[in-house]
Amino acid sequence: MAYMAEALGEFFGFALRMTEAQDLPRWRPSPLLLASGVLHLGAAAALIARPRYWPWALGGLVANHIVLAGAGLWPRSQFLGPNLTHLPARGDLERSVAITIDDGPDPDITPQVLEQLDGHRARATFFCIGERVLQYPDLAREIVRRGHVIENHSQRHRHNFSLLGPQAMSAEIRRGQESILSVTGSSPVFFRAPAGLRNPFLDPILARLRLRLASWTRRGFDTVSADADAVFRRLATPLRSGDILLLHDGHAARTRRGAAVILEVLPRLLDALQAQRLTTVTLRSALS
Ligand SMILES: [Zn+2]
């Protein structure tokens, strides 16, 4: 309970600062976050006015936190704030698909991925880990030199990212932003949470850093599945205009032949896109 109270205090103080900040885009809480805030204030007022009703207030708060946690564990949900899951339906993006590649760069896999993309004249968005960008700066610059875009996937890809408080979460994202800018000279405009998992602190942090959350339409689960056929099927049946597809050049599972799954899936995917006359675009094309 003490942790919850502390976290809530921190959140509302933080949210207040966000809505008051003058030179930043105004952060607008999602309807669920707004309703949660009202519920918490109502519970606090009820406790002061009628202390004996505390079990009801506590029950309401626990139920609310279960809903919030559920929304954070659902990577494609919009309940905690805006979340790009498809390319916008715009004329210039007709017959476009965005391939996104996470968790790199990786010195063994990424150069091969770049060759495969070049072979099909395809463009991709790489959600890189800040630490890895610092570790392999030449590779990160090579990604950009070949016409792809690097976006922010946090500094360390912490497995407990969705459990972090606002300060630690903000530091992870800000440091990822700084690492990518220092190496490539370009600031990311999109953020993807590690494993897509998040909590209510994320949305105001992204507003402050002028970042947009992006998840995906479909993912291949290629960090856990070594079956390239199954990964391909998850991504490509069916392929539709506007899809945002997710593969991994970092943390990649290995096929029986020892190859990273993406290296077997990507050429097939690029062939399938070509056969359906679908063009690859970077996520930045989604910005109006
Ligand atoms: Zn990741």
Side-chain angles (χ1 to χ4, degrees), residues 145-272:
R145 195 187 69 73
R146 296 200 188 203
H148 310 293
V149 177
I150 295 184
E151 304 288 2
N152 187 338
H153 197 34
S154 82
Q155 178 69 359
R156 288 180 290 172
H157 204 274
R158 292 176 67 173
H159 292 299
N160 62 348
F161 180 84
S162 65
L163 302 175
L164 297 178
Q167 305 300 337
M169 185 174 276
S170 179
E172 269 295 301
I173 302 169
R174 209 184 52 249
R175 288 178 59 210
Q177 202 73 352
E178 288 164 0
S179 299
I180 294 167
L181 174 62
S182 71
V183 169
T184 68
S186 171
S187 270
V189 298
F190 284 102
F191 176 76
R192 178 173 283 161
L197 307 182
R198 61 201 194 279
N199 68 31
F201 298 133
L202 180 62
D203 198 46
I205 293 170
L206 295 184
R208 168 177 265 184
L209 295 173
R210 299 174 191 275
L211 283 164
R212 298 169 190 226
L213 183 69
S215 56
W216 51 81
T217 313
R218 279 197 300 281
R219 55 175 160 174
F221 290 100
D222 57 329
T223 58
V224 289
S225 171
D227 182 344
D229 288 338
V231 170
F232 174 75
R233 275 198 304 276
R234 284 187 204 108
L235 290 170
T237 44
L239 280 174
R240 288 202 189 96
S241 176
D243 281 358
I244 299 173
L245 305 175
L246 167 58
L247 281 163
H248 289 80
D249 59 347
H251 300 135
R254 301 274 170 171
T255 64
R256 257 174 296 177
R257 279 177 284 185
V261 171
I262 185 173
L263 298 177
E264 294 200 1
V265 172
L266 187 58
R268 291 173 64 183
L269 184 62
L270 293 168
D271 283 342

